[in-house]
Amino acid sequence: MSVRRLAEASAQPASFAFNKAFTAQAKTWIKKYPKGREQSAVIPLLMLAQEQDGWVTKAAIEHVADMLAMPYIRVLEVATFYTQFQLKPVGTRAHVQVCGTTPCMLRGSEELMDVCRSKIHHDQFHTNEAGTMSWEEVECLGACVNAPMVMIFKDTYEDLTPERLAEIIDLFEAGKGNQVKPGPQTGRHFSAPITGFTSLKDEKGVLKTTRDKEAKAAAKAAKASATAAATAAPQPAAVAAVPEKPKAAPAKKADAPAKPSLEDKNRPAGIARPAAVDDLKLISGVGPKIEGTLHELGIFTFAQVAAWKKAEREWVDGYLNFKGRIERDDWVKQAKALAKGGVAEYVRVFGKKPV
């Protein structure tokens, strides 16, 4: 970033003060921040100073610092850091900022700069002879779809040709800048395709008022149709009542399989709770509730699970009513990895961390 310095002392005014309107705006900005954080309004206040005088003077920096109870150097740091602040006098009627970033460059920003050189001044940051116009090249201004473009004050002028920019400069120099409509200069609607809308061409159909009107019309038509049908339909002849057939009794649900007995010989052997208990929840398929049940059965370690035989796995699966989940999730393989090397071994074997 280039070094940014304040204008020479000869160009600096002796003092600065916000006028009545800008003083009110400054107070509004300060009130937006909580007590003790009023200094956060430094950028908005510097922008107001620039809007009032056209550029940020040394006196304005000091005035803003006094308003916010800040050291002068802190406000100077902000003003010299952000390139949005003009530190030297610019055109009194317009300062043209030409975007020179890639999209605008590819679409002709160099030609726009040539126009500025010929109509304003050969060099950037210099005013014309009357002091009414100046220009500079800047980085992206955020209207890449509508390149090339320029910004004057707070407005952007897009889809420019060299001829159109020359017209705009002439109007601002004549004091008629308010006659130039900001935005695309080709008739384009904001940033819509240059050839016009390709979708949502008629917004009326998606408005809530339109939907409500169509819904009411449909409901009214349906009601009228139902009334007409009821009026025109012949009365049915009396029909002898047919006795209803007795309904079949609902089929009984199959009894759930009985839970295996705790005395079953295939129940895995349990142990007394050890001082160090493994986190069985690292095994996929084991949650806090299942872990609690396993603890009740005396299962506390990965090594115990890793040693289960087929009959023992089937007993635990039946006891938990898992319907084969222990085999599907391969608890034994998971437990072997965790018992051997913890999470690191689990990741090596399965390629992921325990869930």
Side-chain angles (χ1 to χ4, degrees):
M1 180 182 290
S2 61
V3 177
R4 285 165 47 81
R5 302 185 186 280
L6 298 182
E8 298 294 334
S10 59
Q12 296 286 352
S15 62
F16 172 88
F18 284 120
N19 61 31
K20 186 175 181 180
F22 281 106
T23 297
Q25 291 187 47
K27 290 180 179 179
T28 299
W29 273 106
I30 294 172
K31 288 179 181 178
K32 291 184 178 183
Y33 298 96
K35 189 175 182 180
R37 296 289 186 270
E38 293 87 353
Q39 293 180 359
S40 298
V42 60
I43 290 179
L45 264 60
L46 285 173
M47 288 298 294
L48 291 177
Q50 178 166 285
E51 190 173 346
Q52 177 175 300
D53 283 6
W55 60 294
V56 178
T57 65
K58 180 174 180 289
I61 291 173
E62 295 174 351
H63 183 77
V64 169
D66 290 338
M67 287 185 71
L68 299 176
M70 295 175 67
Y72 291 168
I73 184 62
R74 294 300 180 209
V75 183
L76 179 66
E77 289 170 344
V78 174
T80 55
F81 179 81
Y82 292 105
T83 56
Q84 70 199 50
F85 297 121
Q86 302 298 330
L87 302 181
K88 297 181 179 180
V90 295
T92 56
R93 292 181 178 170
H95 178 67
V96 182
Q97 294 179 305
V98 185
C99 177
T101 315
T102 306
C104 284
M105 180 189 70
L106 294 174
R107 296 277 291 171
S109 63
E110 286 292 340
E111 288 82 355
L112 300 187
M113 289 184 228
D114 287 339
V115 172
C116 292
R117 292 186 184 101
S118 65
K119 295 190 72 67
I120 301 175
H121 194 282
H122 181 270
D123 297 319
Q124 302 180 48
F125 301 107
H126 288 71
T127 63
N128 59 0
E129 291 183 2
T132 56
M133 305 292 292
S134 57
W135 74 280
E136 67 172 308
E137 178 184 357
V138 297
E139 295 303 313
C140 184
L141 291 172
C144 307
V145 174
N146 300 16
M149 53 86 67
V150 304
M151 176 178 280
I152 301 176
F153 301 123
K154 295 180 179 180
D155 293 318
T156 59
Y157 302 87
E158 306 145 18
D159 289 321
L160 289 170
T161 62
E163 295 76 18
R164 180 54 181 158
L165 178 59
E167 293 172 358
I168 292 174
I169 290 175
D170 289 341
L171 286 169
F172 272 95
E173 189 168 7
K176 300 178 181 178
N178 58 350
Q179 295 181 10
V180 185
K181 183 180 179 181
Q185 302 296 302
T186 58
R188 183 208 297 255
H189 183 73
F190 297 119
S191 295
I194 193 68
T195 54
F197 286 115
T198 58
S199 60
L200 200 60
K201 295 182 179 181
D202 180 13
E203 296 183 358
K204 184 179 178 181
V206 297
L207 297 177
K208 184 177 185 300
T209 53
T210 303
R211 297 197 305 272
D212 291 346
K213 188 181 295 184
E214 291 175 350
K216 287 180 180 179
K220 186 176 180 180
K223 184 177 181 181
S225 178
T227 303
T231 304
Q235 294 297 324
V239 179
V242 178
E244 291 186 1
K245 292 183 179 180
K247 294 182 180 179
K252 291 185 178 179
K253 292 183 179 179
D255 293 334
K259 182 179 288 191
S261 170
L262 293 173
E263 305 301 325
D264 193 296
K265 64 179 182 178
N266 292 322
R267 173 187 173 181
I271 62 173
R273 185 184 184 93
V277 176
D278 289 336
D279 184 4
L280 299 180
K281 296 190 296 298
L282 292 176
I283 298 175
S284 178
V286 177
K289 184 176 180 181
I290 299 301
E291 184 183 47
T293 303
L294 292 174
H295 287 174
E296 292 173 0
L297 296 174
I299 309 299
F300 295 98
T301 68
F302 297 133
Q304 288 177 272
V305 178
W308 286 351
K309 304 298 182 184
K310 181 176 176 58
E312 293 172 318
R313 297 196 298 271
E314 290 178 346
W315 185 91
V316 177
D317 195 275
Y319 188 82
L320 298 175
N321 195 24
F322 264 15
K323 302 177 182 178
R325 183 173 180 180
I326 291 178
E327 295 295 338
R328 290 195 302 273
D329 290 347
D330 207 344
W331 281 20
V332 171
K333 185 176 180 180
Q334 292 187 66
K336 284 181 178 178
L338 291 166
K340 182 178 179 181
V343 173
E345 179 66 13
Y346 189 102
V347 172
R348 189 190 70 77
V349 173
F350 293 98
K352 62 179 181 178
K353 289 185 178 181
V355 179

